[in-house]
Amino acid sequence: MNAKRDIMNEPFQIDAERISADLKIRPDIYLRIVKSFAGTLKEKIAELEAALQVMDKETMRRILHEIKGTASNLRLVSINEAENLMHVEVKGMADPVKLAEYLVLLKGESDKFSEYINKTP
Amino acid sequence: MHKILIVDDNFENRQLLAEILREVAECDFAASGKEAIDAYNLSLQRGDQYSLILLDIELPEINGLEILEKIRESEKNAGIALGDGIPIIIVTAYEKRFLEAYEKGCDDYILKPIDANVLLTKLASVLEKSDQD
């Protein structure tokens, strides 16, 4: 629960200079890819919502795995943390109430991410 | 400059890999197993083979391991010995899956999240070995 509280309270931020240097790509290109992912993430979350409504665990696992792969490649730590809470739950007990709660958390983080990236030149 | 086929169903991952490789390779993309097989076959028909394939395991319909098997089978049928075919580096989030990939004939693996230094080093090593052969 600590991880959950921390994610909700922390402002979204990306150190594009440091991450792009680490990835050996230009910062503007890194940000272009990250902006693209912000849109993709919204689509994935909509798919997750639909899968949760019918408790399609396999689809939820697949989508969460996709989010995990890209968020980790792009070093989007808080997206990764929010995704991981739901991912662990869906692979374990898959309690629908907890899954819904974690989905809200992931959506909240995605909204913060979009807001941040839209303000970034 | 080398020509590399990046196989990943995620657009942003393909873009990221291509940017990391920008200085060393021109990249083509395949977003599914079928596209990967088609691109591979087309390169053979054109006589313009890829220097290397970067192959994600988790793909819809035909997964990366099945693609690897198909390519090695096709090479075997063409009389190409295991180890002399197109170099293939598997990209996976799960380290344990690379053992299965090795058995099916991959040359190396790289773990997600992608470390640019590791990717470039492994790529150079596999391509150097391939050039020597």
Side-chain angles (χ1 to χ4, degrees), chain A residues 25-105:
Chain A
I25 65 175
R26 290 188 349 225
D28 61 313
I29 290 173
Y30 170 74
L31 284 170
R32 191 189 71 203
I33 297 172
V34 165
K35 279 183 184 180
S36 171
F37 180 59
T40 302
L41 183 58
K42 279 188 184 297
E43 292 168 15
K44 298 286 176 199
I45 287 174
E47 289 175 39
L48 262 182
E49 274 185 305
L52 178 59
Q53 280 180 358
V54 293
M55 276 305 289
D56 180 349
K57 289 197 283 184
E58 196 48 48
T59 299
M60 283 190 274
R61 282 179 70 152
R62 178 183 55 76
I63 296 166
L64 288 163
H65 180 79
E66 289 170 7
I67 294 172
K68 177 186 183 173
T70 311
S72 64
N73 275 344
L74 295 171
R75 295 359 182 214
L76 301 172
V77 177
S78 62
I79 299 290
N80 247 146
E81 287 173 351
E83 168 278 327
N84 192 53
L85 288 168
M86 190 171 179
H87 210 158
V88 168
E89 185 61 30
V90 83
K91 285 193 284 189
M93 298 300 287
D95 175 354
V97 175
K98 280 191 176 171
L99 287 172
E101 189 184 335
Y102 293 147
L103 181 60
V104 168
L105 186 68

Side-chain angles (χ1 to χ4, degrees), chain B residues 95-115:
Chain B
E95 196 160 13
K96 59 186 174 188
R97 298 208 73 179
F98 86 85
L99 284 172
E100 195 181 346
Y102 267 128
E103 284 172 7
K104 293 183 189 301
C106 84
D107 295 82
D108 210 335
Y109 74 101
I110 182 159
L111 288 174
K112 292 179 186 175
I114 299 295
D115 179 315

Side-chain angles (χ1 to χ4, degrees), chain B residues 55-73:
Chain B
L55 183 59
D56 188 30
I57 287 186
E58 298 293 334
L59 294 167
E61 296 164 13
I62 310 172
N63 72 35
L65 294 177
E66 290 170 305
I67 296 168
L68 177 61
E69 265 183 324
K70 282 179 189 293
I71 290 174
R72 294 302 183 229
E73 186 66 29

